[in-house]
Amino acid sequence: MAQAARLARTLWPGRCALADTLGGRPWPPLLTQSRAGFSRAAGGRRGRPQLLGAAALAVGGALGLYHTVRWHLRAQDLRAERPAAQLSLSSHLQLTLYQYKTCPFCSKVRAFLDFHALPYQVVEVNPVRRAEIKFSSYRKVPILVAQEGDSSQQLNDSSVIISALKTHLVSGQPLDEVITYYPPMKALNDQGKEVTEFCNKYWLMLDEQEAQHMYGGKEARTEEMRWRQWADDWLVHLVSPNVYRTPAEALASFDYIVREGKFGALEGAMAKYVGAVAMYLISKRLKSRCSLGSPGGHPAHQPDGLPSPPRHHLRDDVREDLYEAANKWVAAVGKDRPFMGGQKPNLADLAVYGVLRVMEGLEAFNDMMQHTHIGPWYLRVEKAIAEAPAAH
């Protein structure tokens, strides 16, 4: 049962993460603090994990500064070297996505790739053995491998993958250079476990002209970044409590996981029945364990249109949290534009859509579509992605 529970939490993350700070500055944030490790550094207990975490923070900040300055200088050189026409990623890169199909982070990456009409191969990873990613020291999915000739680049973390590829598409900077602008940082979480975080992961490494052309202003850039973070730090963590809310929903969810995932016969049977029971029981504890404290550095009251810090606990009826999140997103998009990105989805639109899409076919998704205002926006994004090859 314990193995099945770990499996389910891997496929549909249920553990809560603390939000990190973006700040909306016109320069890349040098370091996004570990959501798992540094949130209580100021007020919590002080000990060895905190000291090591602070050391990692200092090292990571210096590393982030180095790569930020390096990016600025390299971008100046590239603007002088590259032709006026932007490079076509799909023409010279072969992309392979290692994923769990039911993972919302993987779904985010697929939504991005599909909308930008980027051809890619999918390798479904067995969530028990994970033999398909034995080549990687990074043991989470998604992992994207970009092959160009005899060389290949490995991109980790869904938000890093999306930011790096979008930077490459817009600026034409070589992907191997772009990846260095998102350095990984090792840190210790509150339990003393080593975790990997990535600097600058919501930031596109564009010069002023490119950023102005893409966003039209700083406000749109800041809005996109904050809502991408909201999708990672709050929306994702509403999935598991909702799809495992009742025994019937838990069984239906595991039936979906087994059907769409890569399992052996025995693994599938264990996941479907034992895992469903385990995750139903665990989901009851998620509400009390999900203490999403106010993100460090966020003001107590957010400007209009930006996400507020999440409440400290989920409601007893977690559907209400899902409904509230869906309606908050719709309100942020507003009535005067079809997408947050205006006339076409931006990275925040694709992130929110990707997270919600993993619930399609389940009771939680049907309830959300029936009891919130998100349906028209969701169908517009779905249509935009389906029509992407003709549009890009």
Side-chain angles (χ1 to χ4, degrees):
M1 182 174 289
Q3 183 185 45
R6 287 195 299 271
L7 165 66
R9 282 187 296 231
T10 299
L11 292 173
W12 266 323
R15 291 166 292 179
C16 292
L18 292 167
D20 44 283
T21 305
L22 289 175
R25 297 187 298 273
W27 192 256
L30 300 184
L31 181 69
T32 53
Q33 287 188 341
S34 166
R35 294 190 302 272
F38 301 124
S39 61
R40 290 199 286 260
R45 63 183 184 278
R46 303 180 184 274
R48 180 176 176 82
Q50 284 73 15
L51 292 175
L52 293 177
L57 180 62
V59 173
L63 187 61
L65 176 61
Y66 164 75
H67 284 291
T68 299
V69 174
R70 183 165 171 255
W71 158 70
H72 186 66
L73 297 175
R74 176 60 175 160
Q76 292 177 337
D77 294 338
L78 285 168
R79 286 195 295 275
E81 296 172 2
R82 69 176 184 258
Q86 296 296 333
L87 299 179
S88 172
L89 179 63
S90 60
S91 67
H92 61 96
L93 287 179
Q94 294 179 322
L95 303 177
T96 303
L97 177 64
Y98 294 82
Q99 68 157 20
Y100 306 140
K101 187 175 181 180
T102 59
C103 167
F105 297 107
C106 300
S107 180
K108 279 172 46 189
V109 175
R110 292 198 310 273
F112 172 85
L113 296 174
D114 292 340
F115 176 70
H116 291 85
L118 301 175
Y120 60 100
Q121 293 182 324
V122 170
V123 176
E124 193 69 21
V125 176
N126 182 293
V128 178
R129 296 188 297 271
R130 293 187 290 180
E132 295 81 4
I133 56 173
K134 64 182 179 181
F135 65 87
S136 173
S137 59
Y138 183 82
R139 302 299 291 168
K140 299 179 181 180
V141 293
I143 293 173
L144 187 77
V145 175
Q147 184 80 29
E148 183 177 15
D150 295 331
S151 64
S152 64
Q153 304 293 329
Q154 178 177 327
L155 290 79
N156 306 322
D157 184 274
S158 62
S159 293
V160 171
I161 293 170
I162 291 168
S163 293
L165 289 182
K166 187 66 175 182
T167 295
H168 176 54
L169 284 172
V170 173
S171 70
Q173 299 176 64
L175 189 58
D176 58 348
E177 286 284 341
V178 173
I179 295 173
T180 65
Y181 308 148
Y182 304 94
M185 184 194 72
K186 299 290 186 181
L188 297 179
N189 64 13
D190 291 336
Q191 289 74 44
K193 180 180 178 180
E194 187 176 74
V195 294
T196 301
E197 290 290 348
F198 294 86
C199 302
N200 310 322
K201 67 180 182 179
Y202 299 105
W203 191 274
L204 303 189
M205 300 299 180
L206 308 176
D207 63 31
E208 291 183 8
Q209 183 177 357
E210 292 161 348
Q212 180 66 27
H213 181 266
M214 179 172 174
Y215 293 108
K218 295 178 181 179
E219 294 80 8
R221 189 178 198 175
T222 300
E223 180 182 55
E224 179 187 78
M225 292 170 64
R226 286 185 180 273
W227 284 97
R228 288 180 67 193
Q229 179 184 346
W230 176 82
D232 285 353
D233 291 343
W234 180 239
L235 188 62
V236 161
H237 300 289
L238 297 179
V239 174
S240 288
N242 274 279
V243 300
Y244 302 132
R245 187 181 62 147
T246 66
E249 287 182 271
L251 186 60
S253 299
F254 268 89
D255 182 67
Y256 170 58
I257 290 173
V258 171
R259 185 172 66 251
E260 298 293 341
K262 183 177 182 180
F263 293 89
L266 181 59
E267 292 171 343
M270 181 184 71
K272 181 176 179 179
Y273 295 105
V274 179
V277 174
M279 283 311 297
Y280 167 70
L281 297 175
I282 290 173
S283 70
K284 297 304 175 185
R285 298 203 302 269
L286 287 178
K287 293 195 291 292
S288 59
R289 291 174 59 189
C290 270
S291 290
L292 295 177
S294 297
H298 280 260
H301 299 285
Q302 297 290 348
D304 290 343
L306 296 183
S308 299
R311 288 182 314 277
H312 291 285
H313 297 284
L314 295 173
R315 292 185 174 103
D316 289 335
D317 183 358
V318 292
R319 279 290 198 276
E320 295 300 320
D321 291 287
L322 180 62
Y323 298 161
E324 180 183 77
N327 284 329
K328 180 178 289 187
W329 167 253
V330 172
V333 173
K335 298 179 179 180
D336 299 329
R337 52 183 179 175
F339 308 102
M340 180 167 282
Q343 295 305 307
K344 62 180 181 179
N346 67 7
L347 299 185
D349 286 292
L350 296 173
V352 173
Y353 172 84
V355 170
L356 296 178
R357 181 172 58 175
V358 299
M359 297 190 294
E360 278 192 19
L362 299 175
E363 185 177 335
F365 182 85
N366 296 336
D367 287 348
M368 179 188 69
M369 295 295 274
Q370 181 179 355
H371 297 289
T372 73
H373 303 294
I374 204 168
W377 168 87
Y378 187 91
L379 294 177
R380 287 195 295 269
V381 179
E382 186 175 62
K383 181 179 179 183
I385 291 176
E387 295 176 350
H392 295 270

